[in-house]
Amino acid sequence: DAGVTQSPTHLIKTRGQQVTLRCSPKSGHDTVSWYQQALGQGPQFIFQYYEEEERQRGNFPDRFSGHQFPNYSSELNVNALLLGDSALYLCASSPSSPRGTQYFGPGTRLLVL
Amino acid sequence: AQRVTQPEKLLSVFKGAPVELKCNYSYSGSPELFWYVQYSRQRLQLLLRHISRESIKGFTADLNKGETSFHLKKPFAQEEDSAMYYCALTGYSTLTFGKGTMLLVSP
């Protein structure tokens, strides 16, 4: 099991563009959470997907949206990119039981110019 | 609102010295507390969680509900402990992280 995988590893975009990040969960996990980690900060929760629906959402604008597929993989979409969206985006997967341990992927580093 | 505070950005100790990484939290219910660690060029990984009450790599952490703290301790630091440490809590299924403490263990 490769664990949680994310693609791409790095991405450079310009302001106003749109970006899609992808995540494949650890085998046996059906819940996917996304976090944004700005430089020098801890990860901040964006949203969580379970059974192809957004289950919980953090304090992020609607420009941030997501999707979960039947195979439990997930996408994070960010529209109308701002310079402040530059960060490491982390995906974490966990089993559906509440408070299941979250396992993190290596992240996608997004730079917005 | 739930919040995690790690007051130290950097903690520098010598090999063999005791280590205590501080974590305080704010949560109205009964949270579950975690310590995550990120070694250089590696992904974020779980170090320990309070409900398991186990020691991992010599680290322990005790949940003190009265002081709302979950400090991470190790009696004798090793150079390989140098890493970024994040305290986190969950009320149900999502994690709230602190800003992290960089632990630097010098020979």
Side-chain angles (χ1 to χ4, degrees):
Chain A
D1 179 16
V4 180
T5 60
Q6 292 185 244
S7 63
T9 55
H10 297 82
L11 207 50
I12 300 175
K13 293 286 188 178
T14 56
R15 277 180 301 174
Q17 284 190 310
Q18 178 264 344
V19 69
T20 298
L21 311 182
R22 295 175 176 82
C23 171
S24 291
K26 185 177 168 64
S27 177
H29 288 181
D30 56 10
T31 302
V32 173
S33 303
W34 287 91
Y35 295 82
Q36 181 195 65
Q37 186 174 19
L39 206 58
Q41 303 292 317
Q44 270 196 293
F45 173 69
I46 303 174
F47 43 54
Q48 184 180 81
Y49 276 84
Y50 170 67
E51 291 190 341
E52 302 180 49
E53 294 204 356
E54 185 182 286
R55 178 156 73 174
Q56 289 193 61
R57 188 178 183 92
N59 190 24
F60 279 79
D62 292 345
R63 298 186 297 109
F64 289 77
S65 64
H67 189 77
Q68 186 178 35
F69 299 93
N71 67 353
Y72 308 125
S73 66
S74 176
E75 287 182 351
L76 163 65
N77 300 292
V78 187
N79 294 322
L81 284 167
L82 303 173
L83 296 180
D85 295 332
S86 295
L88 180 68
Y89 287 85
L90 297 170
C91 169
S93 74
S94 55
S96 58
S97 58
R99 300 187 173 187
T101 298
Q102 295 197 19
Y103 292 81
F104 284 82
T108 293
R109 188 161 296 282
L110 172 65
L111 178 61
V112 182
L113 301 176
Chain B
Q2 52 196 56
R3 188 180 302 124
V4 176
T5 303
Q6 294 180 251
E8 303 139 330
K9 281 189 175 180
L10 171 67
L11 184 62
S12 186
V13 301
F14 287 106
K15 177 183 172 182
V19 168
E20 183 179 50
L21 300 171
K22 290 183 167 43
C23 171
N24 288 91
Y25 68 90
S26 172
Y27 186 76
S28 56
S30 296
E32 183 171 354
L33 276 297
F34 303 81
W35 277 98
Y36 278 82
V37 61
Q38 189 166 30
Y39 300 103
S40 179
R41 302 183 188 281
Q42 293 188 28
R43 66 183 65 190
L44 199 60
Q45 56 186 283
L46 179 67
L47 180 62
L48 55 80
R49 55 196 298 182
H50 89 267
I51 61 167
S52 60
R53 303 181 70 80
E54 55 188 344
S55 171
I56 306 294
K57 298 185 179 182
F59 285 97
T60 59
D62 290 319
L63 180 61
N64 185 323
K65 293 185 178 180
E67 295 183 358
T68 59
S69 68
F70 188 58
H71 303 327
L72 183 68
K73 299 177 183 178
K74 184 169 183 176
F76 307 104
Q78 303 298 314
E79 288 179 68
E80 55 266 28
D81 296 329
S82 294
M84 196 73 184
Y85 290 80
Y86 294 95
C87 181
L89 74 78
T90 183
Y92 180 72
S93 63
T94 66
L95 289 167
T96 298
F97 285 86
K99 292 186 177 182
T101 298
M102 170 70 78
L103 174 63
L104 192 58
V105 182
S106 305

